[in-house]
Amino acid sequence: MTIHLPQAQNSTENTSNAETLIAKKTLFSVMLVVLFSCAGIALPYPVLAPIFLNEISPLTTFADLPSKILLGIILAIYPLGVILGSSVLGAASGVYGRKKTLIITLMLTVVGYVLSALAVMAESFLLLIFARFITGVFSGNISIAKAIAIDLSPTLDKTHTFNLVNATGYIGWLLGPLAGGLLAIYGLDTVFYFAALALVIALFSVTLVLQPDKTNLNKTQVKFSQLFSKQNSFALLANTKIRRIFLIYLLATLGLNAYYEFYPVWLVENFNFSSLNIGYITVVLTFFMTITSVFFVKKLKVIMGLKFGAIFGMLSLALLLGLHMVLSLSSLWPVYAITGISIAIFNGLLPVYISEQYADIEQGQLMGLITTTFSLANVLMALIGSVLALLGAHWAILFGAVLLIIASVDFHFSQEDIR
């Protein structure tokens, strides 16, 4: 039977439309996972600083340590777990399947949040540390979600999908602190229970929407123990070029985390902000991050390219962090709005640059390394910054500005431009 050319074209278009529809549904499910995961991560943040700075309980006086040191430990232990989890989970998703790995880790993350709530009710600092660590380990599954989004290329544009996932994360960071501030009156345990409930919704989305994993017999023969020895994300650092770009990414995210982790402390110290007020200003910050990521980052990539766009974002963020020495209550809100724009620019372009530059590497493993590096920066800055914050939280933020400048200079001279 002869197939006429228009019929063949229609068949091709229908196939393309079907693939695009499946890709969009997958992207939606991934975005929902990132939304609720990031919201769950951010929920306790506006509650923790006021509790540890203003309240006296077994949680805030453990071992007679200064409350800021205890807060630093709490802030550090979660990303320490993410470091362990994301270094393995991204690679595991490439071996055992993205959907299967994501479902299992979401279930275990829910367990971690419930355990955190129980630790707060028991006022056990050690149990809370353990629960936050376990939650962090399985929250490393955000690297799987990002890998799934990148897998949708070329059906969907990689820069666009990655920034949509980023934007969804920003919305999570917007809703999380706001919800945390509103729920603070009911106690920190309620905040953790709410985070668990949100992730149950994400779990249902993944189960129902994501396409079944395609089995790969060669990959499934990889032993589980090899994920920790040969297949983990840190193994990529054997490559000298990757090691250099991830050193730059580490410095940049150290600077970013200096701001993320200590602006709530700075706001309490300088303006006596409550949990609710911290939630409100975080809404402003993340609103502008979201708008910039959705509507402007892709355009900036076209105008400036991935490299120089990322450098512009890092340097502008460094300048804004430096302004914390002179910020007043009246100038605080517009500066935080502009800060959100700068964060979205560099955080949206630098990971895409890494993905494009090393497109031949399994993206789950690569995204695992990106998430691991960010979390390593989170841990290091929580520990270093808590010591600097003993002299004043602004010193931790200023230290972050210096690291961003160093990262920008190294990035400019060591990496080539790609578009």
Side-chain angles (χ1 to χ4, degrees), residues 268-320:
V268 173
E269 283 184 351
N270 289 272
F271 304 110
N272 198 29
F273 266 39
S274 66
S275 293
L276 188 58
N277 286 332
I278 294 173
Y280 284 145
I281 199 166
T282 303
V283 167
V284 172
L285 176 73
T286 52
F287 173 79
F288 280 90
M289 289 166 64
T290 303
I291 296 299
T292 303
S293 185
V294 173
F295 296 106
F296 299 109
V297 171
K298 185 178 178 181
K299 294 179 180 179
L300 188 65
K301 173 196 171 185
V302 174
I303 296 171
M304 303 184 68
L306 289 170
K307 176 183 176 179
F308 293 105
I311 290 175
F312 171 76
M314 286 188 282
L315 289 178
S316 59
L317 179 59
L319 174 63
L320 292 163

Side-chain angles (χ1 to χ4, degrees), residues 198-253:
L199 283 181
V200 168
I201 298 174
L203 176 60
F204 277 112
S205 170
V206 170
T207 304
L208 298 175
V209 177
L210 255 63
Q211 296 295 301
D213 296 314
K214 296 179 180 179
T215 58
N216 187 322
L217 295 178
N218 291 329
K219 286 187 175 183
T220 55
Q221 291 176 356
V222 175
K223 294 181 180 179
F224 183 76
S225 60
Q226 290 181 309
L227 292 173
F228 294 90
S229 58
K230 298 179 180 178
Q231 298 293 322
N232 69 78
S233 296
F234 285 118
L236 295 178
L237 297 178
N239 184 314
T240 305
K241 292 182 178 179
I242 293 181
R243 190 159 60 240
R244 183 63 176 271
I245 188 63
F246 273 92
L247 175 60
I248 294 169
Y249 188 69
L250 175 62
L251 289 172
T253 51

Side-chain angles (χ1 to χ4, degrees), residues 33 37 85-86 88-90 92-93 97-113 134-145 199 203 206 224:
V33 170
S37 293
S86 59
V88 176
L89 295 179
S93 72
R98 307 270 197 237
K99 181 176 181 177
K100 180 180 179 180
T101 310
L102 192 54
I103 287 175
I104 293 173
T105 54
L106 280 171
M107 292 173 62
L108 293 171
T109 307
V110 170
V111 172
Y113 276 118
I134 293 299
T135 308
V137 168
F138 297 109
S139 293
N141 58 18
I142 290 179
S143 63
I144 303 174
L199 283 181
L203 176 60
V206 170
F224 183 76

Side-chain angles (χ1 to χ4, degrees), residues 18-19 39 43 54 61 68 97 118 185 208 272 289 345 367 386 406:
E19 290 178 351
L43 267 172
N54 299 329
T61 58
K68 287 183 178 179
L118 295 175
I185 58 174
L208 298 175
N272 198 29
M289 289 166 64
I345 291 172
M367 290 302 105
S386 63
I406 295 173

Side-chain angles (χ1 to χ4, degrees), residues 27 31 159-169 293-294:
L27 180 61
M31 290 168 65
T159 302
H160 185 57
T161 56
F162 195 87
N163 277 282
L164 282 177
V165 170
N166 271 351
T168 306
S293 185
V294 173

Side-chain angles (χ1 to χ4, degrees), residues 21 113 197 358:
L21 180 60
Y113 276 118
L197 178 62
Y358 302 99

